[in-house]
Amino acid sequence: MSASIPQPTFGRVASILWFPFFLAVAMSALFVAPLAHPAPHDMHIAIVGDQRQAEQLQAQLDRAAAGGFQVVSLAETHAADAVRNDDVAAAVLPGTDPVVLVASDTGATRVEFLEKFLPDVIDPTFKDIDPSPSGDATGTGVFFYALPIAIVAMVSAIVLLQLGAWTFRRKMAAVTVIAAFTSVVTYAIAVWQQVVPLTGSSALLMIGTFVFVQGVGWTLTGAAPFVRQFLVPVALTLVLVLGVPTAGAPVTHDMLPAVLGRLHEIMPLGQFIALVRSLASGVGSPLHPSMVLMAWLVIGAVLIELATVHGRRSATVPPAYGEPAASMRRLHGTVTSLSDTPVPHAAVWVINEDNDSVLRTTTDAMGRYALDDVPEGTHHVLVTARHAEPEIVTVALRGHNDRAHDFTLQQWDDPAGNLVAETAGEHQS
C-alpha cells in the first residue's frame, strides 16, 4: 500500500494563497478608478496670450475642476511644438472662435477627455496637430506594444526558477538571448501593424527593448534568492499591479492620482512607453526614459552579482576553524517511484549555485540515501536515475543536525504518461 503524501500546514497554504486575494483588491483599486474614470491632476494647459488671460483661464478651469489644471502662457510660435512634445496637454488659441491644439499621439484618452470637458468652459474648436499612427485606431497601440514585452521579461525570470542547477550568470545570459529575440520580433510586428513607423529613430527601439527586457528580467532573476517563494507576487506587482496603472498609456500620467503619476517617472514599463513615444513619434526627449531603463539594468546586474555571492556562501562555505561540528548537517531520505517502489542506484547530488558538486551518493537496494557533513545553508539537491525524469529541489539546512527529504520519481514508462517528476514531500526530524 502506497504511503500517504504529507499535506501542507494551514500556514503554508496561507503563505501561498494570500496573493490572489491581494490581487483582487489591489488590481481593482488601482485599475478601475484611475483607468476607467481618469481625471486631470496638475494637467498643463497653455494659452497663447498674456498673464492676465492665463489667470482668467485658470480661474475658469478651477471652477470646473479644482486642482486639475495648471495654465501657462506661451507665444503662438511655441504652442504647437509644446503640444507635440507633450510639454502641455493642449494649447488654447483665444479669440471670438477659440481653437484648442491637441495631439492624439501623445495620449488619445486625454484628447477624448478634453473634447468632452473644455466645451463646458470655453466652447472651442479642436485641432489635432499630431494624430495617432494609422495602425493605431484606438490610440492604445503603444501600450499593447509594450505590455507583451514586459510580460516576456517577467516570465523569463519565473521560468528560470525551474533551472535551479544553472548559475546566475548562465541565467543572466539566457535573459540576454531572450531580450535580443524579443527586441527584433516585437519591433517587426509593430512596424508591420503600423503602430510605429519604420524610421531610423524608431529602429532604436530595438536597443530600448533589449535594455528593458534585460533590466526587468535581470532584476527579478537576481531578486529570486532573496524574496524566495514570493518571486511571483513580486514580479506580478512590479509589471502588472503597479506597472500598468503607472504606464502613462492609455491614460496619461497627468490624469492619474499624484502617487501613481510620480511612480510613472521611475517604473520600467511607463518609461519604456515614454521612450517608444519619443523615438517613434518625437514626443518628448528620450533622455529621461533611457536613463531610467539603464538604471534598472544596473540594478539587475548588481542583484545577480549579490545572488551569486549569496549562493556561493550559503552552499559552499565550510564552518570556521574551531566551530562545533553541529554546524554540519545530515541529509537523508528515500527515493521511490510513483508506484511506491524503491529506486536503487539513484544518484543524489548536492550542488551549489555555480553548478559545482558538493556531495554525492547513491541509493541502496531499498531506495535509501544519506549524506553526512552537509554544510549549513541552502542547497540544490538533484536526483537522477535510469529511465526516470530527474528531480531537483532546493533544501535549506538550518537549525537541526538531521534533515529528511524524500523524492518520488516519474519513470518514463509510467502508464500515466506524465513526464514531470513529483516530490512526495518533506519533513524534519
Side-chain angles (χ1 to χ4, degrees):
M1 186 170 103
S2 106
S4 61
I5 297 176
Q7 296 300 305
T9 64
F10 175 79
R12 175 62 175 165
V13 172
S15 71
I16 294 173
L17 294 184
W18 68 272
F19 191 61
F21 294 93
F22 168 78
L23 280 182
V25 176
M27 293 190 75
S28 293
L30 293 176
F31 281 41
V32 174
L35 302 185
H37 303 287
H41 293 274
D42 198 29
M43 183 182 294
H44 286 59
I45 301 290
I47 184 169
V48 176
D50 55 27
Q51 186 61 31
R52 182 188 61 81
Q53 291 173 300
E55 292 175 354
Q56 182 180 4
L57 178 59
Q58 182 72 67
Q60 291 175 288
L61 292 173
D62 284 344
R63 285 193 293 271
F69 297 91
Q70 182 176 342
V71 179
V72 296
S73 60
L74 283 179
E76 186 171 0
T77 53
H78 298 152
D81 287 339
V83 173
R84 290 192 183 96
N85 291 331
D86 201 24
D87 296 328
V88 296
V92 179
L93 280 60
T96 306
D97 297 312
V99 176
V100 173
L101 305 180
V102 293
S104 296
D105 202 24
T106 65
T109 302
R110 182 171 60 189
V111 171
E112 292 175 4
F113 170 81
L114 292 173
E115 288 176 341
K116 294 178 181 178
F117 178 83
L118 289 181
D120 294 333
V121 180
I122 56 176
D123 193 22
T125 299
F126 286 86
K127 182 178 180 181
D128 193 346
I129 60 175
D130 192 7
S132 300
S134 58
D136 189 7
T138 63
T140 58
V142 171
F143 174 73
F144 289 110
Y145 165 52
L147 182 60
I149 296 172
I151 292 175
V152 167
M154 174 185 69
V155 171
S156 297
I158 293 173
V159 298
L160 283 172
L161 287 174
Q162 300 179 54
L163 300 175
W166 273 22
T167 66
F168 279 101
R169 288 189 176 87
R170 184 176 293 181
K171 293 180 180 180
M172 195 179 191
V175 174
T176 299
V177 173
I178 293 169
F181 174 82
T182 303
S183 63
V184 174
V185 170
T186 54
Y187 176 75
I189 292 174
V191 169
W192 170 44
Q193 293 298 314
Q194 298 182 331
V195 172
V196 298
L198 180 58
T199 64
S201 177
S202 74
L204 294 175
L205 284 174
M206 287 186 283
I207 299 176
T209 302
F210 183 71
V211 173
F212 176 40
V213 174
Q214 284 194 125
V216 175
W218 285 4
T219 297
L220 294 175
T221 299
F226 303 107
V227 299
R228 304 182 67 181
Q229 72 267 29
F230 300 110
L231 177 65
V232 173
V234 168
L236 289 172
T237 299
L238 176 68
V239 174
L240 297 181
V241 178
L242 292 178
V244 171
T246 62
V251 176
T252 54
H253 64 91
D254 53 8
M255 298 187 71
L256 296 172
V259 173
L260 297 182
R262 286 193 288 269
L263 280 176
H264 166 78
E265 298 300 322
I266 60 172
M267 294 297 286
L269 178 57
Q271 291 309 298
F272 177 68
I273 289 177
L275 183 67
V276 174
R277 284 176 166 162
S278 176
L279 295 178
S281 305
V283 176
S285 169
L287 180 61
H288 177 74
S290 297
M291 291 178 63
V292 171
L293 294 178
M294 285 300 299
W296 280 98
L297 185 67
V298 171
I299 291 171
V302 170
L303 280 174
I304 284 181
E305 183 61 28
L306 292 175
T308 301
V309 173
H310 171 77
R312 189 176 297 142
R313 286 178 177 173
S314 63
T316 64
V317 173
Y321 178 77
E323 186 175 347
S327 64
M328 306 302 284
R329 304 302 192 259
R330 183 172 189 267
L331 179 64
H332 63 94
T334 59
V335 179
T336 59
S337 67
L338 287 180
S339 60
D340 202 33
T341 303
V343 179
H345 311 299
V348 182
W349 308 71
V350 175
I351 55 181
N352 61 20
E353 294 288 354
D354 290 327
N355 204 23
D356 297 324
S357 173
V358 178
L359 295 168
R360 180 185 182 277
T361 189
T362 56
T363 57
D364 61 16
M366 299 301 295
R368 295 172 299 196
Y369 74 92
L371 289 161
D372 295 317
D373 299 329
V374 181
E376 180 179 4
T378 302
H379 307 275
H380 300 305
V381 182
L382 173 66
V383 180
T384 61
R386 295 185 61 186
H387 308 297
E389 188 74 10
E391 170 73 7
I392 186 167
V393 298
T394 300
V395 175
L397 299 178
R398 295 185 181 91
H400 296 279
N401 294 338
D402 196 25
R403 176 68 178 270
H405 195 107
D406 299 334
F407 294 88
T408 299
L409 298 184
Q410 170 70 59
Q411 295 179 314
W412 291 342
D413 57 354
D414 187 88
N418 179 10
L419 295 184
V420 179
E422 298 181 1
T423 303
E426 69 178 80
H427 62 277
Q428 290 184 349
S429 59

